[in-house]
Amino acid sequence: MSKIYKWVTNYWVFNVSLAISLPALIGLIWYRLVSIPKGYSPFEWNIHNNLAIHTYTLSYLWNHVIFAPYYLVLTVPQYLNRYGLFSIRSVGAFIGLLCVAIFFYISWRWWGTLIAVLGTLLFTTSLWFLQLSRNSGPVILYLFAALVIILLGFVVRNKKRHETKTLLSALLALTLLYIPGIIWFIIAACILQRKLIIEEFKKLPTQVKIIIPLAGLIFLLPLLHASYSSVNEFKTIIGLPIHFSFIIFLKNLYEWPLIIFLRDNSMSAFSLGHLPILSVFIDIMFVLGLYWIWLKRKLDRFYLLGATIIISWILYALGGPVSIYLAVPFIMCIAITGMAFMISQWFTIFPRNPLARTTGMVVLIVAVAVVCWFHVNEYFVAWPNTLNTISIYSTHKG
């Protein structure tokens, strides 16, 4: 009890922010979950039919390993005999809520409560996040995987961690391997943190050193079986296309930054006209974050963010199963770095003037509030009423 009391008193600002924001975020993610957009998409209708006949069994997961964590969560509504649209979309919404929690924690560890709250508001209200958490199916796992990779970096550097945490972290990393293409990020993270990983592994008790490889092997048996059974399955697991085209690679390589930052011509299910994935405000913060990274380029966290963005770019350009949204959480981490840099520069100019410091914070908070208002309207007002969205979700009204 004394440890809990100490944690509550030491981090009261963090805890108050969490107590206020958590119900609001849950309300936002689940608000009108069934009616926006109204009706099933073809993917959701397929999930509905599969749940009705109890398709998602251990046998199914053994033979369908791609995005297995998502389908594993789907077994919960299947067990409860809940096949409706609310249950189907709640799976993605729950994973989205986990993403919000992890993003807030990462932001808080790096830049403190103010930037964490503002950054998480931008993250949660964004059109792309609301689409992926409420309507995308297993694509939401890419956001989860990206944030967990950063989170595991904290675990590696935590000198006080227990053997149980180490084992759970290892299993969590192995779980991400069931998401196409994530294996390259795990490899890159292990290379960047190899000295710490080797050093900490040597400190583990002998029994834990034996348990981790054995548990990992058992955990990956379905993945190894699928890779051995089919070359195409193996290519999908590692994020490669079944058939490679150099022309498509160059085209995607060129379009990746355009779709994210400037103009989206893809007309995909998540497109809102030709708007890019990220708003202008986040683009500006991203540029400031890049400048800050250049000034602090020796920090390991920035090597990790840079490597992950480049890998995401290449995997998307290859034309395989990897979603363009995989890079967005890493970009958002750099964007909130830009916000932290901007407010820190303001505080440097006015180190002792409370009025000026307060004015700077108020201006930033108002700017974020305005951007969040536009984000929310993009999802709840504009996107459901586009012809593209209506056509996708009009086949089955439930």
Side-chain angles (χ1 to χ4, degrees):
M1 286 297 293
S2 60
K3 290 184 178 180
I4 297 174
Y5 176 78
K6 186 177 180 181
W7 185 82
V8 170
T9 53
N10 288 347
Y11 300 107
W12 68 270
V13 177
F14 172 88
N15 292 314
V16 169
S17 302
L18 194 63
I20 295 173
S21 59
L22 186 59
L25 293 176
I26 292 175
L28 179 67
I29 294 173
W30 268 272
Y31 174 69
R32 297 183 63 185
L33 189 60
V34 174
S35 59
I36 298 181
K38 189 175 181 180
Y40 292 82
S41 68
F43 173 81
E44 290 170 339
W45 186 248
N46 183 55
I47 293 292
H48 168 82
N49 292 332
N50 287 340
L51 286 174
I53 59 175
H54 286 242
T55 298
Y56 303 112
T57 61
L58 290 178
S59 174
Y60 177 90
L61 295 175
W62 174 264
N63 293 300
H64 299 81
V65 299
I66 307 300
F67 294 117
Y70 177 83
Y71 295 105
L72 185 62
V73 179
L74 272 176
T75 59
V76 175
Q78 178 177 273
Y79 176 78
L80 297 173
N81 291 321
R82 302 293 182 182
Y83 314 136
L85 197 53
F86 181 82
S87 299
I88 295 170
R89 291 182 179 175
S90 289
V91 171
F94 172 73
I95 298 173
L97 187 62
L98 293 179
C99 292
V100 171
I102 297 171
F103 185 83
F104 179 81
Y105 178 76
I106 292 169
S107 306
W108 175 69
R109 285 288 301 268
W110 280 352
W111 305 116
T113 303
L114 174 63
I115 298 300
V117 171
L118 296 180
T120 304
L121 284 173
L122 287 172
F123 181 91
T124 310
T125 59
S126 294
L127 173 64
W128 52 267
F129 172 78
L130 292 172
Q131 288 172 328
L132 295 184
S133 60
R134 292 165 57 102
N135 312 110
S136 74
V139 180
I140 184 63
L141 287 179
Y142 280 116
L143 298 189
F144 179 74
L147 293 169
V148 167
I149 289 168
I150 300 173
L151 182 65
L152 290 176
F154 290 117
V155 177
V156 171
R157 292 184 167 277
N158 185 2
K159 303 297 182 181
K160 298 180 180 180
R161 66 182 182 278
H162 192 267
E163 288 81 4
T164 304
K165 292 182 181 179
T166 303
L167 179 59
L168 293 176
S169 299
L171 293 178
L172 184 57
L174 293 175
T175 302
L176 300 183
L177 297 179
Y178 286 87
I179 306 170
I182 298 301
I183 185 173
W184 303 110
F185 295 87
I186 302 297
I187 292 172
C190 289
I191 292 173
L192 289 173
Q193 303 290 341
R194 61 189 181 279
K195 292 182 180 179
L196 279 173
I197 293 173
I198 294 172
E199 178 185 341
E200 294 304 316
F201 187 78
K202 290 179 180 178
K203 295 179 182 179
L204 294 174
T206 304
Q207 61 269 28
V208 177
K209 291 180 181 178
I210 297 172
I211 291 172
I212 289 178
L214 287 177
L217 181 62
I218 296 171
F219 205 72
L220 292 178
L221 273 179
L223 202 65
L224 296 173
H225 171 261
S227 301
Y228 177 77
S229 302
S230 170
V231 175
N232 289 343
E233 196 85 352
F234 174 73
K235 287 181 179 180
T236 302
I237 289 168
I238 64 175
L240 299 181
I242 303 302
H243 303 289
F244 174 73
S245 170
F246 188 67
I247 300 298
I248 292 177
F249 173 76
L250 292 179
K251 177 177 176 290
N252 291 340
L253 201 65
Y254 168 75
E255 289 184 346
W256 183 89
L258 297 180
I259 295 173
I260 292 179
F261 299 107
L262 297 175
R263 179 182 174 88
D264 182 5
N265 293 318
S266 65
M267 296 305 292
S268 68
F270 297 145
S271 297
L272 180 56
H274 294 287
L275 289 178
I277 292 175
L278 300 180
S279 62
V280 175
F281 179 82
I282 295 177
D283 290 348
I284 295 171
M285 293 301 106
F286 176 72
V287 172
L288 289 175
L290 287 178
Y291 177 69
W292 176 251
I293 285 174
W294 174 254
L295 296 177
K296 304 292 183 179
R297 55 188 176 274
K298 292 184 179 180
L299 293 176
D300 288 346
R301 74 177 73 161
F302 297 138
Y303 280 108
L304 176 62
L305 289 176
T308 50
I309 290 175
I310 292 171
I311 294 172
S312 302
W313 192 352
I314 293 173
L315 287 174
Y316 173 77
L318 288 170
V322 177
S323 170
I324 193 172
Y325 293 98
L326 174 58
V328 176
F330 304 122
I331 294 172
M332 286 296 298
C333 287
I334 296 177
I336 64 166
T337 298
M339 280 203 304
F341 172 66
M342 184 174 65
I343 200 69
S344 67
Q345 290 299 107
W346 182 264
F347 288 166
T348 301
I349 297 172
F350 301 100
R352 296 182 179 179
N353 188 332
L355 179 61
R357 291 168 68 91
T358 302
T359 301
M361 288 190 292
V362 169
V363 169
L364 180 59
I365 291 170
V366 170
V368 170
V370 171
V371 174
C372 290
W373 173 254
F374 277 101
H375 283 175
V376 170
N377 277 278
E378 282 178 341
Y379 178 82
F380 288 100
V381 179
W383 178 68
N385 294 303
T386 62
L387 293 177
N388 193 33
T389 304
I390 293 172
S391 65
I392 291 172
Y393 289 87
S394 63
T395 305
H396 304 283
K397 293 299 183 182

